[in-house]
Amino acid sequence: MATSKPTSQLKKAAQDDSIMGTNNSSIVSKRSVEKLYYPEPHYFRYFVKKFQRRSPVINRGYWLRMYVVEKMVERFLQEPSKKRKIILNLGCGYDPLPFQWIGRRTKSRENILFVDVDYPQLMKKKVEVILEVPQLHELLENVTATTSSETILLRSDSYLALGCDLRDLAKLESTLSQELETSQCLFLVIAEVSVTYMDVNAADALIAWVGRLDHACFCLLEQYLPNGADHPFAQTMLKHFDKLRTPLKSVHSYPRLEDQEHRFRSCGWTSVLARSFWELWNDDCFLSAHQRLELNNVEAFDEWEELALFASHYFLLVATKGSKVATSVSCFCDKAKQQSEDCLSHSENYLPKRLSVASPMCLVHHLQEPKHRRYGAVSEIQEGVMSHHGGQGPQSRLQSAEVFALEDVVPDANAFLPLVAEARTCHTITNLNDYDCLLVGGRTSPDRALADCWYCRNGIWNRVEDLPNPLYRHSACFVDKGSEYSGILIYGGRSLNGAAMNDWLVWQIEVGWRKLKCIGDILHPRFGATISPSSSMSGVLLGGMSLDGTILQELWEWSLVAEGSDYYIAVKNQSHQLEAFSNLRYVIPRFGACAIRSSMGLLLIGGISAKCILPDDYDILLLRCNWDISPKNDYAIELFYIPCVREHRPLLTGHSSVMCTEGSIVIVGGGAVCFSFGTFWNIGVWSMDTGAETYKKSWCHIGQQAQRSTINSSSKVFDSSLIDSPAHRSHPLSTLPRLRLEDSISFERVLRNSKPVIIEGLDLGSCVKKWTAAYLKEAVGSERLVVIHEASSSNMDFQSKNFKYLTVHFGDFIDSINAGAHRYLRSLASEMPADRPAEFAKDYPTLARDFLLPQELQFASYNSHSSVLRLAGAVQVWLHYDVMANVLCQIRNRKRLFLYPPADITRLGIPHGASSSSLNIFDTASSHLVVGTHPHEAILNPGDVLFIPPLWCHAASPADGTSVAVNVFFRNLTSGYAPGRDVYGNRDLQAYEKGRKDIEKIAKAFQGMPPEISQFYTERLAMELQEKALSMGQR
């Protein structure tokens, strides 16, 4: 056992280093907040070498965290007292809190002392910075620096720096006792995300020790688990800290606020109150509406759900002991209790009593491969088929749409027609009758709202009249009184410069947009509210957010009322009715929720509430309510929760929902950036079904609508003639011709024809017979390391990167693909693979003697760019094009490919500047029939050679078992290739790369001009370029 102690000490030291490492990330984020949100002087700058601007949600979250600490210190220092005030910061890191306060105070500081405590090695570095920077040490009086071996590293009249492990309470107590007459001091003890890293017993001992001080107030800021460790945000947060080797230890022993309060009471504290950051954010007594509004002037912000998730997992606990402590900080507890008498003190207590089950409804998860998309919009485009459009993807906003269908439904060809509108988030798509729908507004960024609207009929999109003002986060629903009146009703939203709107608009296909007069109770501007019809011409409006970032706990009734031949909106505030029922105002009014009207009642799906994070049972509610707006005011509300057939419920923020005609209610997309901890994405489709038959059906992913099309985006009027346009008809699947080559001249004729063909009857050498799995392992060597792709499904997607690169032994790879693994090997150069193209003869010399590129293909040999060994298991290679011509030599087993001519490029969902698509053309038997394209199919047998001309899009999949092939890329142009390194031979031609840069220059040249002028001229240039493209194609 002699080695156990050193080993444990090494582990402890490594753990301590990791904990200290969290300080480095924290101060960079706080420096970002300081530079953007705080006036000079700045002090974090001296501890952060290089400024890094954090994302808006991280800035806003850290601003709130810093404000909470400052608020507590401010109240503590403002309280009149003759006693000396000590601000003891436990686990302070490099936080310059003392200097921020000392620098502000021009009056005497003799009655105030800031004490920083942290690991000795960290505090030594902090003291070195203080002594080196005049702007820091000149704020201090009578400074004395001690030797590094002492606990007190720096001493001054108003600041004390201690290097002490918080687990060493004896040393900490002894040091403070020598420096201070503790019985004559008032202590504010701050622990900001520090003691949570300690072993729970040690942390509890520290809390109890502070409680033995005569006059102390403890302010604890750290994480908790309001909805358990299985909540998606909590999962992501805990995994993040586990990965950093700094696990959060307190959250498992004290997961809820009431657990934390009980913890402190057990340690001797008599007055304890814990409140979540989200509750504090919404408390006007703690943070005024003016302060919240001022934040919007610093940087544009729209990540409200993500801020709420963060703030709902962090809390402030204030604890005091004894009647002698009368500081403003301790009064925080009493004031908060008084403020909370009507809403209780804990998130858990905001919720109504246990709900009944909404039988027979049930939430069902249909497992799918990942299709990451948040804040998109969903619509039903035919019975049993839906389209999920736009939103935020892993890297950028999306212009495309995913198509889903019930397992027994084959989508019409029009289901894959694309929408040419600009990529966006936070827009709405609302279904009218007969699967027609209207897309309204959205945004590209929080300060750039969009006004364009698009009408879809029979799968074809056309632009219609723009909104009177750009909008996003607006509320939309369909109102329908048959032939008498029908249209899309819009309320609220955010507009230019983030302004909250209060307008009611209606869109009708015959007349476009009209603003409606509104009468009744005063309705304040809002965005992100939930709207739903309760009858053909009336409905409810729930929640929403005011411009200051607080959720409105309101319930409104609206009605469309006829006035002669016109209509107006009548609204009535029914919020007071919520008070008659236990805490309904904390679960019904929401922000960012979806509402679906069903035969059983109103389904309220996801979103965030004003006071707390919603537990599973309240995430999706069935609401049955009715009221009579006569003086009798009869009123009733019933709530039911939806059981879930699942392991874990999705994170219902940024999701989209739609009611399908066959009876199911579908939820798709969603997730959130979980502060700085990572991103959680919902995967697949969720549905709620009311009938036994639909419950048994599964939703499947069918494919993706292309991102670009030739539809006229400037059209303002719907043109029904486009429905039968030849450009939108499906073309039959063609089978590639087979031929035999007489000599090399025959192959050159094939090259000039520039059409793919299957060449048979060539001699590829002994490889066709010899390259069995056993032979490959023996010839290459089972222990050779190779880099492979390992996909999460059978469909590899280069755009979404649903695969990872692994370095494995060649023998293990061969065994795994023979067992059906989703793995794929595309050989790389054996030396300097990042700089040199693959060369099969050099990279695999023991196999090269078996393979022969026939004499008939000598043009490919003489002009070769690279030669690649391809080994595939049960996996499909994504749809893509190659800039260079190539021949694919099939060696073992069969392979199936779909190919599309270059003219189909605009319909295959390939983004600008990219060469691959996310379209899964192997998904169903008919999915290769992408509307308006000309698909070709090739089945390669062992010994076949497929010639693939440049720019022909293609995707490949093994037809049976594994696939073994050699692919030779060659130059068939004498000039025009992009200069410089091109390892994979897939860089676009030099003229195209230069042209894209020229487009950026053209776009910049129009900046600063009115939007309609910029659009006018850029569209003219686009038309001219399109005409040149057509003329070139006809040469």
Side-chain angles (χ1 to χ4, degrees):
M1 300 299 293
T3 61
S4 62
K5 186 174 181 179
T7 301
S8 63
Q9 289 177 345
L10 287 173
K11 289 182 178 180
K12 176 179 174 294
Q15 174 82 15
D16 292 347
D17 287 342
S18 297
I19 292 172
M20 285 185 282
T22 63
N23 165 70
N24 297 331
S25 174
S26 176
I27 62 165
V28 170
S29 297
K30 288 185 175 182
R31 170 57 181 152
S32 178
V33 173
E34 178 186 57
K35 184 171 182 179
L36 296 175
Y37 287 80
Y38 281 69
E40 295 277 3
H42 291 165
Y43 297 102
F44 280 98
R45 68 192 333 160
Y46 304 118
F47 298 94
V48 178
K49 292 182 179 180
K50 183 179 180 181
F51 170 77
Q52 298 179 40
R53 181 166 183 161
R54 297 302 201 196
S55 68
V57 70
I58 293 177
N59 284 335
R60 190 68 62 102
Y62 267 98
W63 181 92
L64 181 57
R65 186 167 144 178
M66 293 163 67
Y67 176 82
V68 168
V69 174
E70 292 167 6
K71 191 73 171 177
M72 293 296 99
V73 174
E74 179 184 34
R75 290 183 175 182
F76 178 71
L77 294 180
Q78 285 177 346
E79 180 68 23
S81 176
K82 293 182 180 181
K83 294 182 181 294
R84 193 178 190 189
K85 294 180 179 178
I86 312 299
I87 297 93
L88 178 61
N89 195 346
L90 302 177
C92 62
Y94 291 152
D95 201 308
L97 178 69
F99 301 94
Q100 292 172 317
W101 284 94
I102 294 170
R104 295 178 199 171
R105 296 180 70 88
T106 57
K107 298 181 180 179
S108 173
R109 312 176 196 134
E110 63 185 19
N111 216 28
I112 301 171
L113 179 67
F114 287 87
V115 181
D116 279 353
V117 186
D118 214 320
Y119 287 105
Q121 54 269 50
L122 186 150
M123 289 303 296
K124 289 173 186 177
K125 294 179 181 179
K126 185 171 186 176
V127 168
E128 288 176 1
V129 174
I130 294 171
L131 295 176
E132 290 173 359
V133 176
Q135 292 87 340
L136 295 176
H137 69 249
E138 288 179 0
L139 292 173
L140 307 178
E141 298 175 353
N142 300 319
V143 178
T144 304
T146 62
T147 62
S148 60
S149 60
E150 297 182 22
T151 303
I152 299 177
L153 300 174
L154 188 145
R155 181 188 287 108
S156 75
D157 292 347
S158 54
Y159 178 67
L160 201 63
L162 306 185
C164 181
D165 192 323
L166 295 179
R167 293 166 293 197
D168 193 345
L169 292 180
K171 179 183 288 187
L172 181 60
E173 182 175 16
S174 172
T175 304
L176 288 177
S177 298
Q178 292 173 14
E179 290 292 314
L180 304 170
E181 190 175 351
T182 57
S183 62
Q184 299 303 311
C185 298
L186 291 179
F187 281 88
L188 174 62
V189 181
I190 300 169
E192 182 189 356
V193 193
S194 55
V195 300
T196 188
Y197 299 122
M198 299 172 63
D199 290 333
V200 175
N201 291 336
D204 289 348
L206 176 64
I207 293 169
W209 170 77
V210 176
R212 292 195 290 271
L213 296 171
D214 291 328
H215 311 290
C217 176
F218 202 123
C219 290
L220 177 69
L221 291 81
E222 61 185 40
Q223 303 90 341
Y224 77 116
L225 306 177
N227 204 4
D230 290 336
H231 186 275
F233 185 96
Q235 287 181 37
T236 307
M237 177 177 71
L238 294 174
K239 287 179 182 178
H240 168 79
F241 285 104
D242 287 345
K243 186 177 180 180
L244 294 178
R245 296 186 300 175
T246 57
L248 304 178
K249 297 180 179 178
S250 297
V251 294
H252 299 292
S253 298
Y254 309 105
R256 300 176 301 168
L257 296 185
E258 59 191 41
D259 298 325
Q260 288 284 358
E261 289 183 349
H262 179 73
R263 174 193 198 183
F264 272 74
R265 292 191 181 98
S266 299
C267 291
W269 298 86
T270 55
S271 179
V272 186
L273 178 66
R275 305 177 72 191
S276 76
F277 278 20
W278 187 235
E279 183 185 348
L280 295 175
W281 171 269
N282 286 278
D283 182 353
D284 288 341
C285 295
F286 192 83
L287 180 63
S288 70
H290 175 73
Q291 288 174 300
R292 290 189 293 263
L293 285 169
E294 284 294 309
L295 299 178
N296 295 335
N297 296 329
V298 178
E299 59 181 340
F301 186 80
D302 190 43
E303 292 80 4
W304 294 108
E305 293 93 339
E306 294 164 353
L307 177 65
L309 287 168
F310 157 78
S312 296
H313 283 81
Y314 278 71
F315 70 91
L316 166 66
L317 180 146
V318 179
T320 59
K321 181 179 179 181
S323 59
K324 295 182 180 181
V325 180
T327 67
S328 295
V329 178
S330 64
C331 290
F332 162 80
C333 299
D334 299 327
K335 290 178 182 178
K337 286 180 178 177
Q338 292 171 7
Q339 295 161 11
S340 303
E341 284 179 355
D342 63 333
C343 60
L344 305 180
S345 62
H346 290 311
S347 300
E348 297 88 342
N349 296 325
Y350 290 137
L351 305 171
K353 61 184 180 181
R354 182 73 180 179
L355 307 174
S356 301
V357 178
S359 178
M361 300 192 84
C362 185
L363 184 65
V364 182
H365 189 201
H366 306 272
L367 294 174
Q368 298 287 336
E369 59 193 68
K371 296 295 175 187
H372 297 157
R373 194 179 294 257
R374 298 179 287 125
Y375 301 103
V378 67
S379 60
E380 188 178 25
I381 53 179
Q382 70 178 75
E383 185 172 353
V385 182
M386 63 175 178
S387 171
H388 188 206
H389 172 268
Q392 179 69 41
Q395 304 297 330
S396 62
R397 293 179 300 278
L398 301 172
Q399 190 183 23
S400 61
E402 304 290 350
V403 179
F404 299 87
L406 286 169
E407 57 185 349
D408 58 350
V409 176
V410 178
D412 294 340
N414 282 359
F416 296 95
L417 293 182
L419 170 62
V420 76
E422 184 176 3
R424 67 194 63 209
T425 67
C426 301
H427 54 301
T428 58
I429 300 180
T430 309
N431 275 109
L432 292 88
N433 292 319
D434 300 325
Y435 309 109
D436 294 355
C437 56
L438 181 73
L439 182 152
V440 177
R443 69 168 175 85
T444 58
S445 62
D447 56 358
R448 184 169 179 260
L450 300 173
D452 56 327
C453 301
W454 299 78
Y455 179 51
C456 180
R457 184 177 181 187
N458 295 330
I460 299 176
W461 290 93
N462 277 266
R463 188 168 177 176
V464 293
E465 180 187 4
D466 286 0
L467 286 160
N469 293 295
L471 285 177
Y472 67 93
R473 295 270 198 183
H474 50 278
S475 308
C477 70
F478 178 49
V479 289
D480 183 21
K481 202 174 181 181
S483 59
E484 184 178 334
Y485 193 93
S486 66
I488 302 296
L489 183 66
I490 297 290
Y491 171 71
R494 298 187 79 180
S495 188
L496 297 173
N497 300 318
M501 303 299 288
N502 200 27
D503 294 334
W504 290 88
L505 306 170
V506 68
W507 181 86
Q508 294 176 281
I509 189 169
E510 303 88 357
V511 296
W513 288 106
R514 284 188 303 141
K515 183 177 179 180
L516 299 175
K517 179 177 70 174
C518 181
I519 67 169
D521 296 335
I522 297 176
L523 180 64
H524 295 290
R526 67 197 64 207
F527 57 95
T530 307
I531 194 170
S532 175
S534 54
S535 66
S536 61
M537 299 291 279
S538 64
V540 293
L541 182 74
L542 307 173
M545 182 171 283
S546 61
L547 192 55
D548 72 343
T550 55
I551 295 176
L552 298 163
Q553 299 175 58
E554 297 177 358
L555 170 61
W556 290 76
E557 181 192 35
W558 57 266
S559 300
L560 263 172
V561 183
E563 186 177 44
S565 60
D566 206 353
Y567 283 80
Y568 64 88
I569 283 281
V571 296
K572 182 175 180 61
N573 191 347
Q574 296 285 357
S575 304
H576 64 282
Q577 301 285 8
L578 298 176
E579 304 301 327
F581 298 86
S582 175
N583 296 331
L584 290 186
R585 65 190 176 105
Y586 300 113
V587 296
I588 292 180
R590 303 180 181 188
F591 173 80
C594 296
I596 300 291
R597 178 189 173 192
S598 73
S599 59
M600 300 183 65
L602 177 65
L603 271 162
L604 193 57
I605 303 171
I608 57 175
S609 68
K611 293 292 184 182
C612 59
I613 187 170
L614 294 167
D616 288 355
D617 289 352
Y618 299 85
D619 231 355
I620 304 177
L621 293 179
L622 179 66
L623 174 66
R624 294 175 182 163
C625 63
N626 65 280
W627 54 75
D628 182 353
I629 57 176
S630 68
K632 292 181 180 179
N633 210 25
D634 296 326
Y635 186 78
I637 285 185
E638 293 180 286
L639 287 184
F640 302 86
Y641 80 93
I642 310 300
C644 184
V645 179
R646 54 148 175 109
E647 293 182 359
H648 301 290
R649 194 180 287 259
L651 181 54
L652 292 179
T653 59
H655 58 292
S656 302
S657 302
V658 67
M659 176 79 173
C660 295
T661 53
E662 45 71 41
S664 64
I665 297 157
V666 181
I667 305 171
V668 65
V673 174
C674 300
F675 201 56
S676 57
F677 312 133
T679 303
F680 183 93
W681 296 95
N682 293 334
I683 295 176
V685 174
W686 299 76
S687 69
M688 287 173 283
D689 303 282
T690 57
E693 294 304 316
T694 56
Y695 175 83
K696 297 176 183 178
K697 297 179 182 178
S698 294
W699 283 88
C700 306
H701 178 252
I702 301 300
Q704 187 179 90
Q705 291 175 344
Q707 291 182 305
R708 296 160 58 192
S709 80
T710 57
I711 297 176
N712 184 4
S713 63
S714 62
S715 172
K716 301 291 183 180
V717 181
F718 179 74
D719 182 3
S720 60
S721 66
L722 286 175
I723 297 174
D724 298 319
S725 168
H728 297 111
R729 294 175 185 160
S730 297
H731 295 268
L733 180 65
S734 300
T735 301
L736 283 188
R738 290 177 169 268
L739 58 80
R740 290 176 177 262
L741 299 178
E742 298 177 0
D743 48 31
S744 60
I745 297 177
S746 301
F747 181 62
E748 291 182 19
R749 284 197 294 267
V750 170
L751 285 177
R752 287 193 295 272
N753 192 37
S754 197
K755 299 287 178 63
V757 295
I758 300 173
I759 305 170
E760 56 187 12
L762 296 177
D763 181 11
L764 299 180
S766 60
C767 56
V768 177
K769 294 182 178 180
K770 293 174 64 175
W771 283 8
T772 62
Y775 179 85
L776 290 173
K777 288 197 292 184
E778 180 181 354
V780 175
S782 292
E783 298 303 313
R784 175 172 171 173
L785 293 176
V786 291
V787 178
I788 65 164
H789 301 66
E790 183 175 73
S792 58
S793 70
S794 61
N795 174 42
M796 281 200 302
D797 185 347
F798 188 79
Q799 292 293 328
S800 66
K801 294 293 193 299
N802 66 338
F803 58 85
K804 54 187 176 182
Y805 296 103
L806 298 178
T807 301
V808 300
H809 291 109
F810 184 78
D812 294 337
F813 166 73
I814 293 294
D815 292 339
S816 67
I817 62 174
N818 282 321
H822 302 320
R823 287 182 161 190
Y824 169 68
L825 167 67
R826 191 265 190 209
S827 67
L828 304 173
S830 55
E831 297 180 0
M832 301 177 66
D835 299 311
R836 296 179 179 175
E839 190 174 349
F840 176 65
K842 291 183 178 180
D843 303 331
Y844 289 87
T846 54
L847 292 178
R849 60 194 175 205
D850 304 328
F851 173 76
L852 173 68
L853 194 64
Q855 180 66 24
E856 292 89 339
L857 303 180
Q858 67 177 11
F859 185 94
S861 299
Y862 294 159
N863 297 279
S864 174
H865 167 271
S866 57
S867 48
V868 178
L869 175 66
R870 297 186 186 274
L871 303 173
V875 70
Q876 304 152 10
V877 177
W878 53 85
L879 183 66
H880 67 284
Y881 67 80
D882 299 308
V883 178
M884 295 187 183
N886 64 94
V887 287
L888 180 64
C889 307
Q890 187 66 18
I891 309 300
R892 296 288 295 183
N893 297 327
R894 297 187 307 149
K895 178 177 290 185
R896 186 187 188 199
L897 296 96
F898 289 114
L899 301 94
Y900 298 85
D904 289 348
I905 185 66
T906 59
R907 300 182 178 278
L908 295 175
I910 297 180
H912 307 302
S915 60
S916 65
S917 168
S918 293
L919 187 64
N920 181 4
I921 58 174
F922 290 95
D923 208 9
T924 67
S926 62
S927 61
H928 54 269
L929 297 176
V930 181
V931 176
T933 61
H934 307 75
H936 296 67
E937 183 182 26
I939 302 293
L940 300 185
N941 300 312
D944 285 345
V945 175
L946 172 64
F947 166 63
I948 306 177
L951 309 183
W952 273 72
C953 292
H954 55 281
S957 177
D960 46 22
T962 59
S963 172
V964 182
V966 175
N967 202 177
V968 179
F969 293 85
F970 58 95
R971 299 175 179 87
N972 65 317
L973 299 178
T974 56
S975 63
Y977 293 107
R981 185 176 61 180
D982 187 8
V983 174
Y984 297 98
N986 60 357
R987 278 187 62 183
D988 283 300
L989 295 182
Q990 183 179 11
Y992 176 74
E993 292 186 349
K994 183 179 182 298
R996 295 196 71 229
K997 294 178 181 179
D998 291 340
I999 290 174
E1000 289 298 318
K1001 293 178 182 178
I1002 293 170
K1004 288 181 180 179
F1006 285 105
Q1007 287 182 355
M1009 295 185 182
E1012 63 275 11
I1013 293 177
S1014 300
Q1015 182 178 357
F1016 174 84
Y1017 281 111
T1018 52
E1019 286 186 350
R1020 291 204 67 193
L1021 288 171
M1023 292 170 60
E1024 186 174 349
L1025 189 60
Q1026 179 71 24
E1027 290 174 2
K1028 289 187 179 296
L1030 292 173
S1031 64
M1032 289 178 181
Q1034 295 168 358
R1035 287 189 306 195

